[in-house]
Amino acid sequence: MNEHDFERLSAYLDGELAPDDAASVEEALAQFPEWAKARKTLEHTDAWLRQSEEQPVPSIVPYAGTNRASGPVAQGSLSPSRVRVVALLALAVAVIGLALLNWLESDHAPSVPASPDDPQLTAHESPAVTSTPEESPAAESQAETEDPSLDTPVETEIADPVSYLSLEGTALGSNPCAVIRNTSTGTERVYRIGQVVIEGVTLKEVSSKAAVLDRNGEEILLRAGALKLEPPVLKSIDGLWRMILHVAGEEEEYHDLLRFQMDGTKLSAANNKDNSPFATGSIDERDVMLQFNDNGIVYVMRGTVDLEFDSLTMHFVGATPYESVDPQDVELRLTRVQDEDLADITELSSLREEVDKVREALLKYAEEHEARFPLNLNALVPDYLESLDALRTSENTKLEYQGGLRLARLEIPASLRFEEFQEGFAWDYRLREWDNLLMRSYGGAEWLHPEVVLSLTLQKPPIVFTLTARGDIYERQERPLYRGPEDISEMAERNAWISRDRANLEELGVAIRMFQNEHEGYAPGGWASAYPAYLKDPGILSSPKDDPGADSYLYLYPATNLDQLIAERAKDPDIGDTDPDAARQLQAQIPILLNRTDFPGDQPGRNVLFMNWEVQFLFTNSPEWREWVAPHLTPGR
Amino acid sequence: MEPCVENGHGLDAFLRQVEDSLYTFLLRLIRDVEDAHGTARETVARVLRLERLGRVPEDSANRRALVFSMAYHLAMGHVRTRRWASTPALQEEPPPDRPLDELMALRQMERALDELPAPQRDALLLRVFGELRYADIAHTLRCTVELVRTWVCHARRSLAAHLQSEARAADE
């Protein structure tokens, strides 16, 4: 059976096939066992879904039959959240009202309204009882609005306390309660479940839009009839909208301007820049459907405009031909552009181009300078970039640049041979290959923590362009990765220190490896023996957190044959050949270089270069530190 | 065609007949007992209001289409509101007094439904619980009948595969 056959069979089971087609399916069912098996499977699936049909408690249709008189069918409806908001407001009013009532009650005896037909109540008639429900204004208005065709016998209607009780709001949660107003006395109170509302009548249950009262076992539904949702005033969707296409899986956002045009219920959206069509669709009151074609696949998105017709969020609902995309992953956020914001927004596209130019220049510079970005952006002008004016002249933009970072600073996988590393070092694309390798190994980009080289913040619209050390540009509404020092901060400063310090350790690691390669596996005896052939810049011996010239790093195994060290630890001289995995595991746990002092902060920690040439930041109270690093530190080191 | 229902009382009977399916359908979409119940009641209230205006179709199939389509839209609106309000989508605590195996089966089904793309899930739920025709589902989901046919089939097959893999895992 192929896909088409399954579809036919599924449609046949639903009675959705044309008679001819249905006959051919029946024939196939009789003839081929796999068809019969597939039918059984599909039927079993439906049965399995249905088996867990749940019983609603209480009934959803409680006001049918004898309780119909308990209230008119809802005149309006409310979303649960709105009801809760109204309920909270009502609660606040009720609390104030209660305080007033208590004060008044000290002088005036409460007049308890009662149901004339209730035998318990008629025995204790109070003056208020003489005021029958029919006389109350609420009862009159209710009588006017009720449809006689839906009514039950009149005598129960007269008797019903609902005729002078009205539900003003409910609050759900762990302690549900209802705000009930007595229209004959004009009082309003908050009742919890089990509390007596009027004599003989208790509050039994509360839902988002109704309360169930219990009168001697008889359930009476009190609906939130007083609360009405005003129908929305529909406006036009025509005009300019800012679009943000957000793809969660790829952590991407794309900002642009769209112009909507409405023709009856038809809707078209065009790119504001060149007026090229972006999508077509329809609008039904506030519900919007859009479809756009991307490389032959038609994507369908659906959403609802807010009441003000100022914002619209759409979600992916399907694609033709079918494509497996998680609907939650694709989101189109649209906000109406006000005229005064238009100039700022149109600045976006020109800035985007400028940022692209700066990116190209930075990458080119890094390629020609051993993968280092310049210390200052001005170094790009004029060899790599004509001018930086476009980024700096606007009052709407704020530029931040973190100089001296390395392009695609990545941990070099242990499996990579040194020659390959040396060969590939100069080439960006090799670094990107390692990047991909790491992504595959560790399953995500988060692990790599790309540092922010440049960020350009726009005040209006609030967008941040971010260029990372891997050469990627992000364009988002908030700064995703990096907090500048002025954002506060010790934390940001510490993070910047840690990452620069990490770069130092990596370079020192490269120097050790290069030395070791040419000295039969022996590491340099000290930094003097590595300078200048292997260690070109002695400045990296000082951590950014320490004073310039400080000897910041503890070098644990000078003049040691590191391969032999591994063999000794493993007690196997040939471990590198016999069990390379175990050797690599061991390398990843033996530190070579680390900070002499902790980085300041709530949780002290240090960068450590391990023998697999990876740098890790470890908290000094972490188990990894205790297991891997502490045993190598002799007292006083 | 089913016989015409005379008046509101016939509608009551109809609503009572579908209320379990309606509630379960909403519970599968909303995943919250209280909200599903509230939405079901709101659906019923709206249908009764339409009945007063004489806008409820008389035959059962069209009534079902009206009720479930309305319930679906209310549920989607509710889910959307809740998502923006960052309320947890899933009911944290299982309802009490249900046997453990029943609860496990329910969780298993929720997992299976979670794995389906939303349009497929919605189409299948409308078909199974609402017993809606493909044309009505297409109208509700605003897509073509062919797409509904594909979605329902895909959903059934995915659920069947899920069931089989769970059964195999249980055997092992």
Side-chain angles (χ1 to χ4, degrees), chain A residues 260-303:
Chain A
F260 275 126
Q261 203 161 9
M262 221 168 103
D263 177 14
T265 57
K266 286 184 185 170
L267 193 63
S268 62
N271 192 315
N272 187 54
K273 200 172 176 183
D274 51 6
N275 217 22
S276 59
F278 171 75
T280 55
S282 63
I283 179 165
D284 177 12
E285 293 193 345
R286 293 190 295 127
D287 293 334
V288 178
M289 190 275 289
L290 280 181
Q291 55 183 25
F292 56 92
N293 192 323
D294 181 24
N295 293 327
I297 299 176
V298 178
Y299 292 93
V300 182
M301 305 198 82
R302 212 172 60 191

Side-chain angles (χ1 to χ4, degrees), chain A residues 141-391:
Chain A
S141 65
Q142 190 175 352
E144 279 169 18
T145 53
E146 272 190 351
D147 186 340
S149 68
L150 300 177
D151 288 346
T152 45
V154 175
E155 57 273 16
T156 56
E157 189 184 4
I158 295 167
D160 207 312
V162 175
S163 54
Y164 53 87
L165 292 180
S166 80
L167 181 66
E168 299 297 310
T170 61
L172 304 177
S174 58
N175 202 355
C177 56
V179 183
I180 295 175
R181 182 179 175 80
N182 188 326
T183 52
S184 64
T185 61
T187 55
E188 199 172 85
R189 257 197 68 184
V190 181
Y191 295 94
R192 300 199 182 285
I193 287 175
Q195 283 188 332
V196 178
V197 181
I198 53 173
E199 200 166 338
V201 177
T202 53
L203 180 64
K204 186 178 181 185
E205 196 183 329
V206 175
S207 79
S208 58
K209 282 170 280 300
V212 179
L213 303 176
D214 184 338
R215 184 175 58 185
N216 300 327
E218 179 197 1
E219 281 186 5
I220 301 165
L221 186 84
L222 194 61
R223 294 187 63 80
L227 305 173
K228 288 180 188 173
L229 180 66
E230 294 299 328
V233 180
L234 296 176
K235 300 177 186 171
S236 170
I237 199 173
D238 280 350
L240 202 57
W241 293 69
R242 185 156 69 89
M243 171 183 86
I244 303 172
L245 183 63
H246 180 77
V247 184
E250 297 171 22
E251 295 192 347
E252 260 182 27
E253 285 186 359
Y254 182 71
H255 299 247
D256 218 332
L257 287 178
L258 277 186
R259 187 171 287 282
F260 275 126
Q261 203 161 9
M262 221 168 103
D263 177 14
T265 57
K266 286 184 185 170
L267 193 63
S268 62
N271 192 315
N272 187 54
K273 200 172 176 183
D274 51 6
N275 217 22
S276 59
F278 171 75
T280 55
S282 63
I283 179 165
D284 177 12
E285 293 193 345
R286 293 190 295 127
D287 293 334
V288 178
M289 190 275 289
L290 280 181
Q291 55 183 25
F292 56 92
N293 192 323
D294 181 24
N295 293 327
I297 299 176
V298 178
Y299 292 93
V300 182
M301 305 198 82
R302 212 172 60 191
T304 307
V305 201
D306 70 336
L307 286 168
E308 301 299 320
F309 272 65
D310 279 342
S311 84
L312 166 62
T313 302
M314 307 193 77
H315 289 102
F316 174 83
V317 291
T320 312
Y322 176 75
E323 181 170 277
S324 178
V325 179
D326 187 344
Q328 301 299 329
D329 279 356
V330 186
E331 193 172 88
L332 190 64
R333 297 180 207 153
L334 293 142
T335 44
R336 189 186 284 280
V337 175
Q338 307 299 336
D339 289 342
E340 61 267 25
D341 296 334
L342 188 57
D344 295 325
I345 292 171
T346 43
E347 195 181 350
L348 244 186
S349 50
S350 61
L351 271 178
R352 187 181 288 140
E353 286 166 14
E354 287 303 320
V355 172
D356 275 343
K357 277 185 201 166
V358 174
R359 171 181 176 268
E360 293 305 318
L362 280 169
L363 293 181
K364 199 171 173 197
Y365 181 99
E367 275 176 21
E368 294 176 10
H369 291 80
E370 296 182 341
R372 280 271 182 207
F373 290 116
L375 287 169
N376 192 308
L377 268 187
N378 289 328
L380 295 175
V381 183
D383 294 343
Y384 301 91
L385 193 67
E386 284 177 15
S387 155
L388 285 164
D389 292 345
L391 294 183

Side-chain angles (χ1 to χ4, degrees), chain A residues 52-71:
Chain A
S52 59
E53 199 155 285
E54 315 225 355
Q55 300 294 322
V57 182
S59 168
I60 295 165
V61 201
Y63 29 78
T66 53
N67 281 341
R68 175 61 59 82
S70 61

